[in-house]
């Protein structure tokens, strides 16, 4: 699904890079612990997180994650973090919904789990 | 291009806000040096975990050196912090001495050293109480799949 | 849906039984204790990879139906003991959080 569809499905707003709304993101992971994201296998296009600390965008960068979806209305507190994400090409979205609802809706809409083995989904 | 050496210093500011700044810099430097994506990611993850540990456990920080060779990348992390009391225990997944407030920041899940090892092909750690910790990690470079 | 049915449908490994007859109203997913304290509702099932000792106390305080640790994470024995002592259901799933949320969401929504 596209980032725009993601945003519509979970009532999220773009915090930057809205011009990339038509980009496809097909795999997602949910995590609040940065160490968990750093230990992930597989490529996640979308990170769903309730952690808004500035390190999150850097973890996303290292893990080649293309978009971060902040839940429960969270968002980076500092403007320069959003600017940095923009420079590194990481799309930031924010939704008022909690993680469970977000994952549930996206799962139903066909988003795949980035940490699941490919063959299992088939 | 035979061998490229990159040196970074991680300054511990007493705040976690800057954790990851050096690792993303390393990532960019390796990308520019033409290192393949998968290797870059593994090296950057190792460095990120190292940065976290430096911020968490040392007062002054430490140094990270990354040496890119045609067939491998060597990472050296050095600090003169408090050292690790029980390295074997610290290598166990889930073992953590981090306080709860650190957990709340999303760190301290006890996966740091295990994850560094997981991403390394060779992983060596020497630690002495009151003296500091030295880590040497090697990531062998693999040719990317055609994709 | 009863806790015991959720356990069966999701194939959860049970470490502490809690009250299997209790109704799972909804679920809350977070690894941040402060978020759970602020956002989880009584009767929610808590999905997390946070294995810190305090998860049991938080589940008890918020009157949650139970805790499911994702990604096959095994907590320390003290956490299991504490959950048994406090009567909090503690379970483990092999699935990653995103997948686990997706499946439970379908399950809880499906009952109409």
């Amino acid at each position: 699904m596209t980032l725009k569809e993601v945003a519509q499905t979970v009532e999220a707003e773009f915090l930057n890079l809205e011009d990339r709304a038509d980009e496809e993101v097909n795999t997602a992971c949910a995590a609040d612990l940065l160490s968990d994201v750093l230990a992930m296998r597989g490529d996640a296009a979308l990170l769903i997180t309730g952690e808004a600390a500035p390190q999150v965008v850097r973890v996303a960068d290292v893990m080649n994650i293309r978009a971060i979806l902040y839940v429960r209305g969270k968002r980076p507190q500092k403007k320069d973090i959003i600017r940095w994400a923009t420079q590194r090409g990481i799309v930031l979205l924010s939704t008022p919904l909690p993680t469970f609802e977000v994952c549930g809706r996206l799962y139903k809409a066909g988003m795949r789990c980035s940490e699941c083995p490919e063959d299992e989904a088939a | 291009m035979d061998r490229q050496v990159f040196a970074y210093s991680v300054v511990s500011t007493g705040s976690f806000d800057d954790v990851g700044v050096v690792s993303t810099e390393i990532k960019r430097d390796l990308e520019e040096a033409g290192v393949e994506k998968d290797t870059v990611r593994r090296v950057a993850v190792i460095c990120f975990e190292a940065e976290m540990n430096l911020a968490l456990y040392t007062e002054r920080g430490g140094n990270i050196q990354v040496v890119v060779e045609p067939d491998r990348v060597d990472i050296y992390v050095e600090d003169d912090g408090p050292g690790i009391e029980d390295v074997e225990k610290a290598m166990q997944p889930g073992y953590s001495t981090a306080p709860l407030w650190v957990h709340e920041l999303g760190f301290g899940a006890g996966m740091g050293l295990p994850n560094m090892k997981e991403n390394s092909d060779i992983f060596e750690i020497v630690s002495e109480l009151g003296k500091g910790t030295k880590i040497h990690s090697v990531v062998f470079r693999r040719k990317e799949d055609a994709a | 849906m009863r806790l015991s049915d959720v356990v069966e449908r999701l194939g959860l490994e049970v470490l502490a039984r809690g009250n299997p007859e209790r109704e799972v109203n909804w679920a809350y997913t977070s690894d941040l204790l402060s978020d759970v304290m602020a956002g989880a509702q009584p009767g929610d099932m808590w999905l997390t990879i946070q294995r810190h000792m305090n998860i049991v106390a938080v589940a008890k305080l918020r009157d949650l139906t139970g805790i499911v640790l994702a990604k096959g994470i095994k907590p320390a024995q003290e956490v299991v003991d504490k959950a048994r002592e406090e009567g909090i259901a503690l379970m483990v799933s092999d699935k990653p959080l995103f997948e686990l949320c997706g499946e439970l969401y379908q399950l809880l929504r499906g009952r109409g």
Side-chain angles (χ1 to χ4, degrees):
Chain A
M1 55 200 301
T2 64
L3 283 168
K4 192 171 161 186
E5 286 165 336
V6 169
Q8 280 164 355
T9 305
V10 300
E11 301 160 33
E13 59 164 317
F14 283 84
L15 303 180
N16 70 350
L17 296 171
E18 201 165 350
D19 54 313
R20 281 180 39 202
D22 291 326
E23 194 172 303
E24 287 278 335
V25 280
N26 295 315
T27 54
C29 61
D32 297 331
L33 300 181
L34 298 181
S35 52
D36 184 45
V37 182
L38 279 174
M40 277 178 188
R41 303 282 162 266
D43 281 316
L46 179 71
L47 169 66
I48 301 159
T49 187
E51 177 61 72
Q55 305 89 344
V56 176
V57 291
R58 297 183 204 122
V59 170
D61 180 53
V62 162
M63 298 304 283
N64 302 321
I65 287 166
R66 286 183 286 128
I68 300 172
L69 172 56
Y70 296 101
V71 300
R72 296 188 70 225
K74 293 190 185 182
R75 57 182 66 206
Q77 290 308 305
K78 293 185 188 140
K79 279 228 171 64
D80 57 335
I81 295 297
I82 299 179
R83 236 184 345 253
W84 190 88
T86 306
Q87 267 171 26
R88 297 296 282 169
I90 302 166
V91 181
L92 306 179
L93 299 142
S94 180
T95 169
L97 302 175
T99 302
F100 183 68
E101 183 73 34
V102 167
C103 293
R105 288 192 192 183
L106 290 179
Y107 183 84
K108 217 170 145 214
M111 180 74 75
R112 290 201 326 270
C113 168
S114 67
E115 299 175 90
C116 297
E118 289 279 339
D119 48 340
E120 197 183 289
Chain B
M1 180 169 39
D2 296 334
R3 184 172 197 264
Q4 276 180 286
V5 181
F6 301 90
Y8 311 85
S9 73
V10 180
V11 183
S12 187
T13 56
S15 142
F16 283 103
D17 283 6
D18 292 334
V19 167
V21 168
V22 172
S23 303
T24 51
E25 203 180 309
I26 291 171
K27 184 184 184 231
R28 204 161 41 224
D29 287 345
L30 295 197
E31 277 168 355
E32 272 169 23
V35 178
E36 57 288 346
K37 205 172 143 203
D38 180 58
T39 306
V40 173
R41 170 162 140 172
R42 288 168 66 198
V43 171
V45 167
I46 292 164
C47 292
F48 207 111
E49 298 282 10
E51 248 189 278
M52 267 199 213
N53 287 341
L54 291 174
L56 247 172
Y57 299 110
T58 72
E59 244 169 65
R60 298 197 302 181
N63 294 309
I64 300 178
Q65 195 182 51
V66 180
V67 182
V68 179
E69 312 250 15
D71 62 332
R72 61 191 268 173
V73 179
D74 286 73
I75 304 156
Y76 300 90
V77 186
E78 244 186 88
D79 70 67
D80 57 1
I84 301 166
E85 193 166 352
D86 189 337
V87 172
E88 208 173 302
K89 234 177 167 181
M91 292 302 299
Q92 289 168 12
Y95 179 81
S96 176
T97 57
L100 181 60
W101 64 269
V102 175
H103 287 251
E104 280 291 83
L105 277 170
F107 296 98
M111 301 305 291
L113 289 177
N115 194 33
M116 288 172 88
K117 190 179 175 193
E118 181 72 25
N119 280 282
S120 308
D121 291 304
I122 299 172
F123 184 79
E124 299 163 320
I125 175 165
V126 183
S127 189
E128 202 178 327
L129 273 183
K131 289 266 173 71
T133 303
K134 283 183 190 176
I135 288 171
H136 174 214
S137 156
V138 183
V139 175
F140 291 124
R141 299 177 62 175
R142 298 182 187 102
K143 287 275 169 280
E144 296 256 280
D145 292 340
Chain C
M1 180 171 281
R2 287 180 316 163
L3 177 58
S4 57
D5 294 327
V6 172
V7 165
E8 197 194 313
R9 297 286 290 276
L10 294 182
L12 305 176
E13 181 191 342
V14 178
L15 302 178
R17 285 178 74 237
N19 176 6
E21 297 303 315
R22 198 167 165 202
E23 190 71 15
V24 176
N25 291 341
W26 196 237
Y28 198 82
T29 303
S30 178
D31 306 321
L32 308 173
L33 303 184
S34 51
D35 265 14
V36 180
M37 287 301 288
Q41 300 302 314
D44 277 357
M45 184 174 244
W46 179 12
L47 315 179
T48 188
I49 56 147
Q50 178 63 268
R51 68 176 103 203
H52 196 277
M53 185 67 173
N54 291 21
I55 56 175
V56 177
V58 169
K60 177 106 181 160
L61 271 166
R62 295 306 299 164
D63 191 24
L64 308 180
T65 22
I67 306 165
V68 184
L69 289 169
K71 295 223 278 195
I73 282 176
K74 292 278 158 57
Q77 188 57 41
E78 303 94 82
V79 180
V80 178
D81 291 344
K82 177 104 168 138
R84 288 181 181 153
E85 213 176 285
E86 301 280 356
I88 298 290
L90 181 61
M91 295 143 289
V92 181
S93 165
D94 283 337
K95 304 236 160 80
L97 271 178
F98 181 78
E99 182 89 355
L100 187 62
C101 292
E103 287 183 3
L104 183 58
Y105 187 85
Q106 305 270 60
L107 208 58
L108 294 178
R109 282 299 286 262
R111 87 202 141 145

